[in-house]
Amino acid sequence: MNKYIVLMIVICSALISQAAIRLPALVGDHMVLQRDKLINVWGYAKPGETVTITFVGKAYNVATGADGHWNTKLQPMKAGGPYQMILKGENTITLNDILIGDVWICSGQSNMEFNLRQAKNAEEEIKNASYPQIRLFSVNKSIDLTPLDDTRGNWSVCTSNSAQYFPAIGYFFARDIQRDVKIPVGLINASWGGTVIESWISKEGLAGEPTFGEKSQQVANFDTAVYNKEHRKAHADWVTNFNKQDKGFADGQYAWAKTTDLSDWRPINLPTIWGFTGKPDLWELSGVVWFKKKINLSKSDLQNSAALSLGWIMNADEAFVNGVKIGSTGDKWGYKRLYMVPANILKEGENTITVRVENYGGDGGFMDNGQSFYLKAAASTINLAGEWQYKIGYKLTGNDRPEKEISPNTLPTLMYNTMISPLTNLSIKGVLWYQGESNWFRAYQYRELFPRMIADWRSKFNQGDFPFLYVQLAGYHHPQKQPEGSYWAEVREAQDKTLSVKNTGMVTAFDVGDSSNVHPKNKQEVARRLVLLAEKNVYGLPVKADAPRYRSFEIKDNSVIIKLANPVGGLTAAKKIGGFGIAGDDHNFYWADAEILSDTQIKVSSLLVPRPVAVRYAWEDDPAGANVYNSIGLPLFPFRTDNWKGLTDDNK
């Protein structure tokens, strides 16, 4: 009898749960609803159930469809709040602290995902990040073969604690917009590092596209289980062979864990991603790097086992204390390393910690900011942040690593399905977009894919041609000795051409990049430029926001006269003008001399090119020498006057 009662209680609870009103993650406490538009509110309930929504003195009734979904639109409202919303059906839900303002989606790859605690002057910025009129929401990262109608997450008030983990560009943008326009701002973070643009487009948006169109229609039937099984085996075999190449792991023995001769080891400050250090031998390195640090322990520290915390590591690691292996972690993303150190391994006085890091591609090293980087002994906690010694065991060449399992880039549409589809019911102001690094090899194709994505999102949101503001790629890689072709410059050109799409706007970041770091820290300046663009073109404020732009050219004798638009107070260059390349009919470019003739004209020439036919500006992966600005500190956009075949024209 008791079992029967329990079973009935479970069944009844399940039925009540199914009948009760349920709300998607985006509809909750602290949310921002879009001003001056019909406000979309949606959720789930028992088929046929009537849901009553009471909001700011008005009541709205909506019937739940046969599929268990309900959706209704509330009357447009002016900016304001906070308000309360009450939803009644078989149950009652009360939502508090709702603001009416502007909702912006922040999307793209890692330079958009780049959070405030990694940005320039992070400590000071975080300390001051208290803005109750700004609300933050981050879309849960997941992969799904079909479009989702909900995600996980919740709205939070912008505080020092919540802002530090939010995209820096989005935060800085909202901070300044809220200050200048004086309205509440809601930000939705829908970004994922390393993703390609075709993953952000729906199957409908990709229909008919030559490369991904047919494949996108087949995604829903993809056999993930078989794919993962095959690839995990292939990846494991690849890692085994990878480790055999490590000089510090000779004959299956971790020889460098026990070595005490550090004469050929070099200093490095940890924790950090090693590509961020500016050290030439670690720049863009994939492979194995060993790290050592000596610490001192007292007799009282040896009373119990210790805990070694190393934070987050990319991709795998083995940890040693005094030459004894105390733990290891395989290829796990977002997994915090915490290893126990038996007391009998420790000794009074000097002890040596060794960490072997395996990186299979992309960023390698330690992701922690120092807070989770310590050894906790019985009597003391030793901060491990600071100087270590390092030695490279293996440099990976080639790019033949198989995927470990399905990833955001395995198939088209995956990011749309999980990161954008759940948002499409929401009324929004616009989108901030920063992506393109992962499409560097297919820049010419990006000319078609990027506009296609914008059109796709506008179709899915069904809110007209809402503002779509984006960032042109920052500078990265070492400057060229001579002007040549550039993959990143071709991505920037594809981004520039996308301005032909209605109600789009672009700012450039080529001059605030970092040659040794694909993730430059100065997100404040990038956001400042986006704010200027939005305030002028979206909010109609009387601000100057236009950067100088190439308009036309004229060949005059042995020089080329470049004619520009948007000088805004005139052109300046802090020193000798750089960044210009010039070529003749042979298509060979040489660095050129440049002279500002007027607010709208620049003369370009070179003794090596007596009969010039083409000029390029900032046409490098990292155009650090390009230094022409207008009076409001906005750089001349990269350009070329020719239409010669590029490096990526045939890449698919």
Side-chain angles (χ1 to χ4, degrees):
M1 181 65 180
N2 288 339
K3 291 182 179 179
Y4 175 78
I5 293 173
V6 171
L7 179 61
M8 290 303 295
I9 290 172
V10 170
I11 293 173
C12 289
S13 297
L15 291 172
I16 291 170
S17 175
Q18 290 175 1
I21 300 172
R22 183 171 64 85
L23 298 176
L26 281 163
V27 180
D29 294 335
H30 314 301
M31 66 180 171
V32 176
L33 298 175
Q34 180 58 45
R35 64 176 177 142
D36 301 332
K37 282 187 177 183
L38 289 170
I39 299 171
N40 208 28
V41 180
W42 70 103
Y44 316 91
K46 181 176 67 178
E49 180 177 352
T50 296
V51 177
T52 300
I53 302 168
T54 304
F55 189 55
V56 196
K58 294 183 179 181
Y60 305 82
N61 294 320
V62 57
T64 305
D67 60 356
H69 289 67
W70 56 265
N71 191 319
T72 191
K73 297 186 184 299
L74 314 186
Q75 289 300 304
M77 295 179 61
K78 298 298 181 183
Y83 301 114
Q84 184 181 80
M85 180 182 291
I86 299 174
L87 303 99
K88 288 186 177 181
E90 292 193 15
N91 61 316
T92 299
I93 298 175
T94 300
L95 304 180
N96 296 303
D97 191 31
I98 299 169
L99 299 179
I100 307 296
D102 281 353
V103 179
W104 288 87
I105 294 173
C106 307
S107 190
Q109 58 181 111
S110 55
N111 269 306
M112 178 58 80
E113 190 177 16
F114 191 97
N115 60 49
L116 184 58
R117 67 191 180 119
Q118 298 169 302
K120 185 179 74 171
N121 301 327
E123 185 175 349
E124 185 70 15
E125 297 285 11
I126 291 170
K127 183 176 70 174
N128 296 320
S130 178
Y131 293 93
Q133 291 285 295
I134 296 175
R135 307 296 169 83
L136 311 174
F137 185 101
S138 287
V139 178
N140 178 59
K141 284 184 173 181
S142 65
I143 293 175
D144 205 281
L145 302 181
T146 57
L148 302 181
D149 64 0
D150 198 4
T151 183
R152 288 187 296 169
N154 56 271
W155 287 95
S156 62
V157 178
C158 181
T159 64
S160 294
N161 185 57
S162 60
Q164 67 176 315
Y165 301 105
F166 202 81
I169 286 176
Y171 164 74
F172 292 130
F173 177 87
R175 180 193 66 184
D176 292 358
I177 291 294
Q178 200 279 319
R179 175 197 66 200
D180 297 344
V181 185
K182 295 180 173 52
I183 56 165
V185 178
L187 294 177
I188 299 175
N189 169 28
S191 56
W192 193 322
T195 48
V196 291
I197 195 168
E198 57 269 22
S199 188
W200 291 94
I201 309 174
S202 74
K203 72 173 186 178
E204 292 81 12
L206 284 170
E209 197 280 327
T211 306
F212 303 106
E214 183 177 352
K215 191 174 185 179
S216 69
Q217 310 307 305
Q218 301 167 352
V219 170
N221 298 317
F222 185 77
D223 195 330
T224 304
V226 170
Y227 183 88
N228 287 347
K229 181 179 180 180
E230 293 175 350
H231 277 253
R232 284 168 185 159
K233 169 80 167 57
H235 186 268
D237 293 343
W238 184 91
V239 170
T240 298
N241 183 65
F242 168 94
N243 282 316
K244 288 179 180 179
Q245 316 306 314
D246 176 19
K247 290 180 288 187
F249 185 56
D251 300 321
Q253 302 296 315
Y254 295 102
W256 287 4
K258 298 181 179 181
T259 186
T260 57
D261 180 9
L262 303 184
S263 58
D264 58 347
W265 292 55
R266 301 178 62 192
I268 187 172
N269 284 318
L270 297 181
T272 188
I273 296 299
W274 62 55
F276 293 8
T277 62
K279 296 180 180 294
D281 58 342
L282 295 178
W283 187 71
E284 290 196 326
L285 171 75
S286 297
V288 178
V289 183
W290 292 73
F291 302 91
K292 280 185 183 288
K293 187 176 182 68
K294 294 180 179 180
I295 60 171
N296 287 298
L297 298 176
S298 66
K299 186 175 181 179
S300 57
D301 284 322
L302 312 184
Q303 300 304 309
N304 294 305
S305 297
L308 176 63
S309 176
L310 299 172
W312 295 266
I313 296 177
M314 310 256 301
N315 294 88
D317 66 283
E318 292 83 20
F320 308 81
V321 174
N322 296 327
V324 179
K325 185 175 179 179
I326 53 97
S328 64
T329 304
D331 184 12
K332 289 187 178 181
W333 171 261
Y335 185 84
K336 191 174 180 180
R337 272 61 168 180
L338 182 64
Y339 302 125
M340 298 308 298
V341 186
N344 63 344
I345 292 176
L346 303 172
K347 56 187 179 180
E348 185 177 357
E350 187 176 88
N351 292 258
T352 301
I353 299 172
T354 306
V355 183
R356 176 183 183 268
V357 177
E358 306 167 24
N359 175 252
Y360 312 136
D363 294 336
F366 301 83
M367 296 287 289
D368 193 75
N369 62 0
Q371 295 181 356
S372 301
F373 208 59
Y374 58 82
L375 179 90
K376 184 174 178 56
S380 61
T381 298
I382 300 170
N383 182 6
L384 300 179
E387 185 173 297
W388 288 57
Q389 303 295 314
Y390 78 93
K391 187 175 181 179
I392 298 171
Y394 171 52
K395 289 186 177 182
L396 177 66
T397 58
N399 186 27
D400 61 346
R401 176 170 67 107
E403 277 197 312
K404 182 181 178 182
E405 55 193 12
I406 189 171
S407 77
N409 294 341
T410 304
L411 301 165
T413 77
L414 295 183
M415 289 298 88
Y416 172 82
N417 289 345
T418 59
M419 307 292 282
I420 302 303
S421 178
L423 313 181
T424 54
N425 274 325
L426 195 69
S427 299
I428 64 170
K429 183 68 172 182
V431 170
L432 304 178
W433 175 259
Y434 193 161
Q435 189 274 340
E437 298 92 337
S438 289
N439 286 85
W440 65 272
F441 189 68
R442 297 181 282 117
Y444 193 84
Q445 184 186 52
Y446 199 85
R447 296 184 182 193
E448 197 274 338
L449 290 176
F450 190 20
R452 182 181 283 268
M453 189 199 80
I454 296 171
D456 181 43
W457 288 18
R458 286 174 170 172
S459 172
K460 294 296 186 179
F461 279 86
N462 193 28
Q463 296 173 48
D465 296 327
F466 53 74
F468 200 102
L469 311 181
Y470 57 94
V471 182
Q472 192 181 48
L473 294 190
Y476 181 50
H477 297 130
H478 294 308
Q480 296 173 346
K481 293 181 179 179
Q482 289 295 330
E484 300 170 344
S486 163
Y487 289 95
W488 283 51
E490 291 185 22
V491 176
R492 294 190 191 105
E493 183 178 50
Q495 293 171 320
D496 190 77
K497 288 183 177 296
T498 303
L499 288 171
S500 62
V501 177
K502 184 180 179 181
N503 207 16
T504 58
M506 181 183 75
V507 301
T508 190
F510 81 80
D511 60 321
V512 288
D514 184 332
S515 63
S516 62
N517 184 355
V518 74
H519 307 118
K521 293 179 176 294
N522 188 3
K523 297 299 191 269
Q524 289 90 332
E525 177 58 19
V526 178
R528 182 187 80 89
R529 296 173 184 180
L530 284 168
V531 168
L532 288 175
L533 191 64
E535 290 186 348
K536 179 178 185 291
N537 295 342
V538 178
Y539 293 102
L541 298 184
V543 298
K544 296 177 180 178
D546 296 319
R549 172 173 293 282
Y550 166 74
R551 189 178 65 201
S552 63
F553 76 101
E554 175 186 357
I555 298 174
K556 192 172 183 179
D557 299 326
N558 61 349
S559 302
V560 178
I561 307 300
I562 300 297
K563 300 178 181 180
L564 305 174
N566 306 328
V568 188
L571 303 175
T572 63
K575 50 188 177 181
K576 181 180 178 181
I577 300 175
F580 283 93
I582 193 168
D585 285 328
D586 60 1
H587 293 199
N588 291 324
F589 280 87
Y590 300 88
W591 293 123
D593 297 318
E595 175 188 356
I596 296 174
L597 300 180
S598 69
D599 287 351
T600 59
Q601 294 190 351
I602 296 176
K603 178 182 178 181
V604 183
S605 64
S606 170
L607 294 176
L608 298 175
V609 186
R611 289 183 292 278
V613 299
V615 167
R616 293 178 176 179
Y617 176 73
W619 200 263
E620 295 181 75
D621 290 3
D622 179 26
N627 60 351
V628 177
Y629 291 78
N630 63 12
S631 64
I632 56 174
L634 297 179
L636 172 60
F637 280 111
F639 70 87
R640 60 170 173 162
T641 65
D642 65 275
N643 60 358
W644 299 336
K645 185 175 182 178
L647 299 174
T648 68
D649 286 20
D650 299 324
N651 297 346
K652 303 294 183 184

